[in-house]
Amino acid sequence: MKRYLILLLLTFQGLMAQVQFEARVSKNTLGLNERLRIDFIMNVDGDNFDQPAFEGFKVVAGPSQQISQSWVNGRSSFQKIYSYILQPEKKGTVIIKQAAIEYNGQVYKTAPIKVTVTNAVAQERDPNDPRQQGGGSGNELLQLVAEVSKTTPYVNEPITVVYKLYFNEIGVTGFREIAKPKYNDFWNQNIDVKQLVMEEGSYQGQRCHYVVLKKAILYPQKSGRLTIEPFSLDIGVQLPTNRRDMFGQMIIAEDNKVVTTGARTISVRPLPESGKPEGFTGAVGNFSFKVVPSRTTLKSGEGLDLLVSASGTGNMKLFTLPKPVVPNALEMYDPVHDEKVTTSLSGMSGKISDKYTIIPQYKGKYAIKPMTFSYFDLSTGSYKTITSPEIMVDVLDGPTLAEANPSTAAKNVITKTEQFKYIKSKTTLAAIAKDDFYGSDLYYALLFFPFAIIPIIILVKKKKEAIDSDVTGNRIRMNNKLAKKYLSQAKKQLNNKEAFYIALEKAMHNFLKAKLHIETSEMSKDNIQELLLSRNSNPETVQNFINLTENCEFARYAPASSASIQQDYDKAVLIISELEKQIV
């Protein structure tokens, strides 16, 4: 009996071991612009397949299901596969969580899979790939390019990066950024592109159209090989196919493509050490330098403003101006810095200045030493130095420096008439005895205040109970709140078609619930139309409302441009506003 029991347990264990359920991916490391295939494979016909959430990925296609069964030498084999095509949405390490099935009352799960998503990589066009060529003429072009003005600049020499999207024989319906370029070790500023304008041009000898998407000006801050990280876009496209409709017109296929500029490497040269002036603060470009006093002749108690400025073209915001050196007899305060600089694709230009306030302490003539300003001239590849003239300041009156010397005996002499000079003749006296808090007006006010607010608390409580008991009113207020919430949520999702139409449909349904006091089960087309017309609504407005509601469900699965989405949102706001006025 014991032998049969052991044999039965071994047989049961063997049956359990036969159930296999695993997940396989086409690659464990991929670029941001590449796609990933994942297969969930089982050797039994499991039920209730539960796919993972695919966080960090967008499902491009799937699930597709394949089932195969065969008999070989009297033994059967079975295999079922659920397949998905995924597009990564962010860089980094992404975990694909477990999938699950049920078989014979037990749950089986796959192991989590770790996938590493790197920067977008350059992809060669495959003429046999219909996803790239669309089955058209083979001349389709869709390329994102980062055009760099110079790849071997000096430190703090400006370079420009212009991002252009080249395309030909492909319709572009919209795009979204999935990886913004990063400029590590560069001072950078984006140049606004006010309007996207399609222009004609050429790419690698092929005539095409292009659109300038972004512009940036960069100033490298250190020498060596610096990297401009890729700029990647997810683009909605319309691709021609080899199929034609019943009228002979070519069928256009909707698809999404991810394009990238790839990483760009800039070899930055250091500024030459030979001939570098002492006190050089990093100015690179072409500058003029001035030191201008507001006045040079002063009376006692007056001051002057000393303006130190540099103007021209170059890295205006990335260096410091020299500081003036003045005699001890002149008291100099911290400067007020001012920048009047404009930044364009040619670089920074304008004027920067430091204004010092200087106040003399003693009578006499004082010299402000000449100041030097050095910069590296890109046009000549050499350093240049500008020296300002010496400035003489003439203080006409006031104490002399000799009279202010503390060793002078007269300094310590105090006359009898001045010995009580610093004793105050008037004073402010405060009473020693003060009123106690106990028995004061504030004491009684705080004592009786809690009793005074008891009636107010009772009234507020009754008001709240009345509001809570008003079930219909609360439902109306809640539906109004939900309508406003979903309408605002729809506005935030203008660039996400499916989420936009879901939020818009919910907003319109909650508006009806609030105004017509109906439930979701009563929201049929005929019932809505009858109720709205009975509340004196305009028939045309009612029909527009119903048409837009039906359009929300259709538009979620049909191609739509950003213009049509914005148009539907504006139409919803107008219709709800009109019904708000009409419903009585």
Side-chain angles (χ1 to χ4, degrees):
M1 182 66 182
K2 183 178 181 180
R3 183 178 61 184
Y4 292 119
L5 181 60
I6 293 174
L7 182 62
L8 180 63
L9 290 174
L10 291 175
T11 304
F12 179 74
Q13 184 177 1
L15 291 173
M16 291 293 293
Q18 291 178 0
V19 178
Q20 297 178 358
F21 181 44
E22 61 178 340
R24 298 176 187 172
V25 292
S26 56
K27 57 178 72 176
N28 291 98
T29 301
L30 72 157
L32 190 61
N33 60 329
E34 295 183 301
R35 294 185 176 183
L36 177 74
R37 178 189 176 96
I38 182 168
D39 296 321
F40 297 97
I41 306 170
M42 64 193 79
N43 67 339
V44 294
D45 191 7
D47 297 324
N48 300 326
F49 173 70
D50 185 14
Q51 70 180 44
F54 297 122
E55 296 177 358
F57 290 93
K58 180 177 71 173
V59 178
V60 178
S64 61
Q65 181 177 322
Q66 303 175 28
I67 298 177
S68 62
Q69 190 170 7
S70 62
W71 290 84
V72 178
N73 296 328
R75 298 183 62 182
S76 67
S77 63
F78 177 87
Q79 188 178 69
K80 179 191 286 188
I81 303 175
Y82 289 95
S83 301
Y84 296 82
I85 303 297
L86 308 178
Q87 176 73 54
E89 293 183 325
K90 61 181 181 181
K91 294 190 298 181
T93 300
V94 185
I95 303 296
I96 299 178
K97 297 181 180 179
Q98 297 174 307
I101 60 169
E102 290 184 12
Y103 183 71
N104 287 339
Q106 293 196 0
V107 176
Y108 298 88
K109 295 184 178 181
T110 61
I113 298 179
K114 182 186 295 185
V115 177
T116 302
V117 182
T118 64
N119 286 327
V121 297
Q123 292 178 313
E124 296 183 359
R125 297 174 63 191
D126 183 1
N128 298 318
D129 185 357
R131 185 170 60 85
Q132 292 188 20
Q133 297 296 340
S137 63
N139 296 321
E140 296 85 356
L141 170 67
L142 185 66
Q143 189 70 37
L144 184 62
V145 177
E147 297 183 354
V148 180
S149 62
K150 193 171 186 178
T151 57
T152 58
Y154 282 105
V155 172
N156 272 317
E157 180 181 359
I159 62 174
T160 59
V161 184
V162 179
Y163 296 94
K164 294 181 179 180
L165 179 66
Y166 290 92
F167 57 95
N168 189 24
E169 297 190 19
I170 287 180
V172 177
T173 59
F175 63 87
R176 67 180 182 90
E177 296 182 3
I178 57 176
K180 294 184 178 181
K182 294 181 180 179
Y183 312 108
N184 297 325
D185 299 315
F186 290 93
W187 183 96
N188 64 89
Q189 182 170 324
N190 290 325
I191 308 299
D192 289 338
V193 178
K194 296 182 179 179
Q195 186 176 3
L196 299 182
V197 180
M198 186 173 66
E199 301 183 34
E200 293 187 357
S202 63
Y203 178 75
Q204 296 182 348
Q206 182 179 352
R207 297 294 298 172
C208 59
H209 296 91
Y210 72 89
V211 175
V212 176
L213 302 178
K214 293 173 72 74
K215 299 178 182 178
I217 182 79
L218 311 180
Y219 285 83
Q221 296 301 290
K222 70 176 186 180
S223 59
R225 294 174 64 84
L226 305 184
T227 300
I228 300 175
E229 294 193 13
F231 178 38
S232 302
L233 296 176
D234 184 2
I235 302 178
V237 296
Q238 294 178 331
L239 302 172
T241 67
N242 290 327
R243 296 175 296 156
R244 297 183 179 274
D245 59 17
M246 59 184 298
F247 301 103
Q249 300 294 324
M250 181 178 293
I251 296 176
I252 303 298
E254 299 281 344
D255 197 5
N256 280 75
K257 286 181 174 288
V258 175
V259 293
T260 180
T261 59
R264 297 297 303 269
T265 301
I266 308 297
S267 298
V268 183
R269 295 178 289 172
L271 296 177
E273 292 296 327
S274 176
K276 181 180 290 187
E278 185 178 354
F280 174 71
T281 59
V284 177
N286 188 8
F287 303 97
S288 61
F289 176 70
K290 292 181 180 180
V291 180
V292 180
S294 60
R295 61 175 75 182
T296 55
T297 303
L298 304 173
K299 295 181 179 180
S300 177
E302 293 182 335
L304 66 90
D305 291 332
L306 187 67
L307 187 66
V308 182
S309 64
S311 58
T313 59
N315 58 333
M316 303 293 297
K317 299 181 180 181
L318 304 176
F319 62 85
T320 57
L321 293 169
K323 185 176 181 180
V325 178
V326 300
N328 292 333
L330 301 179
E331 186 175 358
M332 184 173 69
Y333 294 87
D334 291 338
V336 176
H337 185 74
D338 183 44
E339 294 181 355
K340 296 180 181 177
V341 180
T342 58
T343 305
S344 63
L345 277 182
S346 59
M348 287 186 276
S349 62
K351 177 181 178 180
I352 62 172
S353 62
D354 289 336
K355 184 167 71 173
Y356 296 85
T357 298
I358 299 175
I359 299 177
Q361 302 298 308
Y362 309 105
K363 179 182 178 180
K365 292 186 177 182
Y366 306 96
I368 299 177
K369 295 181 180 180
M371 301 174 61
T372 59
F373 172 73
S374 302
Y375 65 93
F376 182 75
D377 189 350
L378 292 169
S379 60
T380 61
S382 61
Y383 293 96
K384 292 186 178 181
T385 301
I386 304 173
T387 303
S388 68
E390 183 180 69
I391 299 173
M392 294 299 299
V393 178
D394 188 7
V395 183
L396 300 178
D397 55 9
T400 63
L401 192 58
E403 293 174 349
N405 195 327
S407 63
T408 304
K411 181 74 176 179
N412 297 324
V413 176
I414 300 176
T415 62
K416 291 182 178 181
T417 58
E418 293 180 341
Q419 60 182 337
F420 299 108
K421 178 179 179 180
Y422 301 103
I423 298 177
K424 290 184 178 181
S425 58
K426 294 183 179 180
T427 185
T428 302
L429 302 177
I432 296 176
K434 296 183 179 179
D435 294 335
D436 292 334
F437 172 71
Y438 181 77
S440 64
D441 294 340
L442 180 60
Y443 169 80
Y444 288 110
L446 294 177
L447 179 63
F448 292 106
F449 177 74
F451 299 99
I453 65 172
I454 289 177
I456 299 175
I457 295 174
I458 294 174
L459 291 175
V460 171
K461 184 178 180 181
K462 289 185 176 180
K463 181 68 175 177
K464 185 178 183 302
E465 290 175 351
I467 293 174
D468 293 342
S469 62
D470 185 9
V471 178
T472 302
N474 288 336
R475 188 172 69 249
I476 293 172
R477 283 188 290 272
M478 178 60 69
N479 289 332
N480 271 324
K481 183 178 180 181
L482 287 173
K484 293 178 181 178
K485 171 188 172 183
Y486 287 120
L487 200 57
S488 63
Q489 186 175 355
K491 186 176 182 180
K492 296 177 182 177
Q493 300 292 340
L494 288 174
N495 295 326
N496 188 342
K497 180 186 68 175
E498 185 173 354
F500 167 78
Y501 283 107
I502 291 174
L504 185 62
E505 187 176 9
K506 288 182 178 179
M508 299 178 71
H509 284 176
N510 282 291
F511 172 77
L512 286 181
K513 291 178 182 179
K515 291 299 178 183
L516 302 180
H517 308 164
I518 59 176
E519 299 297 334
T520 304
S521 59
E522 302 175 277
M523 297 187 66
S524 65
K525 174 182 175 182
D526 295 335
N527 192 33
I528 291 172
Q529 187 171 13
E530 181 180 350
L531 288 173
L532 287 175
L533 292 176
S534 66
R535 302 288 291 273
N536 295 334
S537 298
N538 190 314
E540 183 180 355
T541 306
V542 174
Q543 188 60 45
N544 289 338
F545 184 91
I546 293 174
N547 292 342
L548 184 57
T549 304
E550 295 174 344
N551 185 49
C552 287
E553 181 66 25
F554 173 76
R556 285 166 56 187
Y557 304 101
S561 64
S562 58
S564 63
I565 291 175
Q566 181 66 46
Q567 185 178 0
D568 286 343
Y569 175 78
D570 295 338
K571 188 185 296 183
V573 173
L574 179 62
I575 291 172
I576 289 177
S577 176
E578 290 179 354
L579 289 176
E580 185 77 36
K581 299 175 184 177
Q582 295 170 8
I583 294 176
V584 296

